[in-house]
Amino acid sequence: ALRARARYGARLALALAADGEAQEAALVAGQVIEACAQVDSATVRVDLRALAREFNRMMSVREVAAVRDPLSDLLGSAR
């Protein structure tokens, strides 16, 4: 269940970011990062890499800036 939650949470965060809902996307991304600390999924990492690219355009949003380092750490350590 945790892997599914991470997978669909990552997709939700990506969809929210693409729709311009940066704060909500960052909130969901934080939950996904926590879940990914417990499970490893290449599919989730693909979605999180796309989310990181979306977030690069939104760095002025405080919530996005707050999840940037944990997201980078997660993607960097999962290689």
Side-chain angles (χ1 to χ4, degrees), residues 4-75:
R5 189 175 309 153
R7 183 176 182 186
Y8 293 108
R11 291 182 181 184
L12 174 61
L14 183 57
L16 288 166
D19 198 37
E21 299 290 335
Q23 293 173 330
E24 186 68 23
L27 176 68
V28 173
Q31 296 168 352
V32 172
I33 291 167
E34 289 177 16
C36 284
Q38 299 176 27
V39 298
D40 185 34
S41 169
T43 304
V44 174
R45 286 194 309 271
V46 167
D47 289 337
L48 288 178
R49 283 188 190 99
L51 180 62
R53 286 190 296 273
E54 286 288 330
F55 278 173
N56 283 337
R57 298 181 208 129
M58 304 174 173
M59 289 310 299
S60 62
V61 178
R62 183 173 20 120
E63 293 84 356
V64 171
V67 298
R68 180 182 183 189
D69 287 341
L71 182 58
S72 294
D73 291 345
L74 176 70
L75 293 174

